[in-house]
Coordinates of all heavy atoms in Angstrom, one line a residue:
T1 N 204.3 153.8 163.6 CA 203.2 154.8 163.7 C 202.0 154.4 162.7 O 202.3 153.9 161.6 CB 203.6 156.2 163.3 OG1 204.7 156.6 164.2 CG2 202.5 157.2 163.4
S2 N 200.8 154.5 163.2 CA 199.6 154.4 162.3 C 198.9 155.7 162.4 O 198.8 156.3 163.5 CB 198.7 153.3 162.6 OG 199.2 152.0 162.2
V3 N 198.4 156.3 161.3 CA 197.7 157.6 161.3 C 196.5 157.5 160.4 O 196.5 156.8 159.4 CB 198.7 158.7 160.8 CG1 199.0 158.6 159.4 CG2 198.1 160.1 161.1
V4 N 195.4 158.2 160.8 CA 194.3 158.4 160.0 C 194.0 159.9 159.9 O 194.3 160.7 160.8 CB 193.0 157.7 160.6 CG1 193.1 156.2 160.4 CG2 192.7 158.1 162.0
I5 N 193.5 160.3 158.7 CA 193.2 161.7 158.4 C 191.9 161.8 157.7 O 191.7 161.0 156.8 CB 194.4 162.3 157.6 CG1 194.1 163.8 157.4 CG2 194.7 161.6 156.3 CD1 195.3 164.6 156.8
T6 N 191.1 162.7 158.0 CA 189.8 162.9 157.3 C 189.4 164.3 157.3 O 189.9 165.2 158.1 CB 188.7 162.0 158.0 OG1 187.5 162.1 157.2 CG2 188.4 162.6 159.4
Q7 N 188.5 164.7 156.4 CA 188.0 166.0 156.3 C 187.1 166.3 157.5 O 186.4 165.4 158.0 CB 187.2 166.2 155.0 CG 188.0 166.1 153.8 CD 187.2 165.9 152.6 OE1 186.6 164.8 152.4 NE2 186.9 166.9 151.8
K8 N 187.1 167.6 157.9 CA 186.1 168.0 159.0 C 185.2 169.1 158.4 O 185.7 170.2 158.1 CB 186.9 168.5 160.2 CG 186.0 169.0 161.3 CD 186.7 169.3 162.6 CE 185.8 169.6 163.7 NZ 186.5 169.8 165.0
K9 N 184.0 168.7 158.1 CA 183.0 169.7 157.5 C 181.9 170.0 158.5 O 181.3 169.0 159.0 CB 182.4 169.1 156.2 CG 183.4 168.8 155.1 CD 182.7 168.2 153.9 CE 183.7 168.0 152.8 NZ 183.0 167.4 151.6
V10 N 181.8 171.2 158.9 CA 180.7 171.6 159.8 C 179.6 172.2 158.9 O 179.8 173.3 158.3 CB 181.2 172.7 160.8 CG1 180.1 173.1 161.7 CG2 182.4 172.1 161.6
P11 N 178.5 171.5 158.8 CA 177.4 171.9 157.9 C 176.7 173.3 158.2 O 176.1 173.9 157.3 CB 176.4 170.8 157.9 CG 176.7 170.1 159.3 CD 178.1 170.3 159.6
D12 N 176.8 173.7 159.4 CA 176.1 174.9 159.8 C 176.9 175.8 160.7 O 177.6 175.2 161.6 CB 174.7 174.6 160.5 CG 173.8 175.8 160.6 OD1 174.3 176.8 161.0 OD2 172.6 175.6 160.3
K13 N 176.9 177.1 160.5 CA 177.8 178.0 161.3 C 177.4 178.0 162.8 O 178.2 178.4 163.6 CB 177.8 179.4 160.7 CG 178.5 179.5 159.4 CD 178.5 180.9 158.9 CE 179.3 181.0 157.6 NZ 179.3 182.4 157.0
L14 N 176.1 177.6 163.0 CA 175.6 177.6 164.4 C 176.0 176.4 165.2 O 175.8 176.3 166.4 CB 174.1 177.8 164.4 CG 173.6 179.2 163.9 CD1 172.1 179.2 163.9 CD2 174.2 180.3 164.7
I15 N 176.5 175.4 164.5 CA 176.9 174.1 165.1 C 178.3 174.3 165.8 O 179.2 174.9 165.3 CB 177.0 173.0 164.1 CG1 175.6 172.6 163.6 CG2 177.7 171.7 164.7 CD1 175.6 171.6 162.5
D16 N 178.4 173.7 167.0 CA 179.6 173.8 167.8 C 180.6 172.8 167.1 O 180.4 171.6 167.1 CB 179.4 173.3 169.2 CG 180.7 173.3 170.0 OD1 181.7 173.7 169.5 OD2 180.6 172.9 171.2
A17 N 181.7 173.4 166.5 CA 182.6 172.6 165.7 C 183.3 171.5 166.5 O 183.6 170.4 165.9 CB 183.6 173.5 165.0
S18 N 183.4 171.7 167.8 CA 184.1 170.7 168.6 C 183.3 169.4 168.8 O 183.8 168.4 169.2 CB 184.5 171.3 170.0 OG 183.3 171.6 170.7
S19 N 182.0 169.5 168.5 CA 181.1 168.3 168.7 C 181.0 167.5 167.4 O 180.4 166.5 167.3 CB 179.7 168.8 169.1 OG 179.1 169.5 168.1
V20 N 181.7 168.0 166.3 CA 181.6 167.3 165.0 C 183.0 166.6 164.8 O 184.0 167.2 164.7 CB 181.4 168.3 163.8 CG1 181.4 167.6 162.5 CG2 180.1 169.0 164.0
T21 N 182.9 165.3 164.7 CA 184.1 164.5 164.5 C 183.8 163.2 163.8 O 182.7 162.6 164.0 CB 184.9 164.2 165.8 OG1 186.1 163.5 165.5 CG2 184.0 163.4 166.8
H22 N 184.8 162.6 163.1 CA 184.7 161.3 162.5 C 185.7 160.4 163.1 O 185.8 159.2 162.7 CB 184.9 161.4 160.9 CG 183.8 162.2 160.2 ND1 182.6 161.7 159.9 CD2 183.8 163.5 159.9 CE1 181.9 162.6 159.3 NE2 182.6 163.7 159.3
L23 N 186.4 160.9 164.0 CA 187.5 160.0 164.7 C 186.9 159.6 166.1 O 186.4 160.4 166.8 CB 188.8 160.8 164.9 CG 189.4 161.4 163.6 CD1 190.7 162.1 163.9 CD2 189.7 160.2 162.6
H24 N 187.1 158.3 166.4 CA 186.6 157.8 167.6 C 187.6 156.9 168.3 O 188.3 156.1 167.7 CB 185.3 157.0 167.4 CG 184.2 157.8 166.7 ND1 183.3 158.6 167.3 CD2 183.9 157.9 165.3 CE1 182.5 159.2 166.4 NE2 182.9 158.8 165.2
S25 N 187.6 157.0 169.6 CA 188.4 156.1 170.4 C 187.6 154.8 170.8 O 186.5 154.9 171.2 CB 188.9 156.8 171.7 OG 189.5 155.9 172.6
I26 N 188.3 153.6 170.7 CA 187.6 152.4 171.0 C 188.2 151.8 172.3 O 187.5 151.4 173.2 CB 187.6 151.4 169.8 CG1 186.8 152.0 168.6 CG2 187.0 150.0 170.2 CD1 186.9 151.3 167.4
T27 N 189.5 151.7 172.3 CA 190.3 151.3 173.5 C 191.4 152.4 173.7 O 191.6 153.2 172.8 CB 190.9 149.9 173.4 OG1 192.0 150.0 172.6 CG2 189.9 148.9 172.9
P28 N 192.1 152.3 174.7 CA 193.2 153.3 174.9 C 194.2 153.3 173.7 O 194.9 154.3 173.4 CB 193.9 152.9 176.2 CG 192.8 152.3 177.0 CD 191.9 151.6 176.0
T29 N 194.4 152.1 173.1 CA 195.4 152.0 172.0 C 194.8 151.8 170.6 O 195.5 151.6 169.7 CB 196.3 150.8 172.3 OG1 195.5 149.6 172.4 CG2 197.1 151.0 173.6
I30 N 193.5 151.8 170.5 CA 192.8 151.6 169.2 C 191.8 152.7 168.9 O 191.0 153.1 169.8 CB 192.1 150.2 169.1 CG1 193.0 149.0 169.4 CG2 191.4 150.1 167.8 CD1 192.3 147.7 169.5
G31 N 191.9 153.3 167.7 CA 191.0 154.3 167.3 C 190.5 154.0 165.9 O 191.0 153.1 165.3
C32 N 189.6 154.8 165.4 CA 189.0 154.5 164.1 C 188.6 155.8 163.5 O 188.3 156.8 164.2 CB 187.9 153.5 164.1 SG 186.4 154.2 164.9
V33 N 188.4 155.8 162.1 CA 187.8 156.9 161.4 C 186.6 156.2 160.7 O 186.7 155.2 160.1 CB 188.8 157.6 160.4 CG1 189.3 156.6 159.4 CG2 188.1 158.7 159.7

């Protein structure tokens, strides 16, 4: 297993939290923070 963990800070209460992320998929088996 490999795992990444990061903070999730939503700067404004009016922002849709689901659209804020630091995790991204690059290929089906590779991701990044």
Side-chain angles (χ1 to χ4, degrees):
T1 303
S2 283
V3 69
V4 287
I5 180 171
T6 187
Q7 295 162 283
K8 182 170 184 174
K9 295 180 179 178
V10 182
D12 193 313
K13 290 183 179 179
L14 295 178
I15 291 176
D16 179 3
S18 65
S19 66
V20 177
T21 183
H22 296 278
L23 303 179
H24 304 275
S25 172
I26 296 172
T27 75
T29 60
I30 300 175
C32 69
V33 60

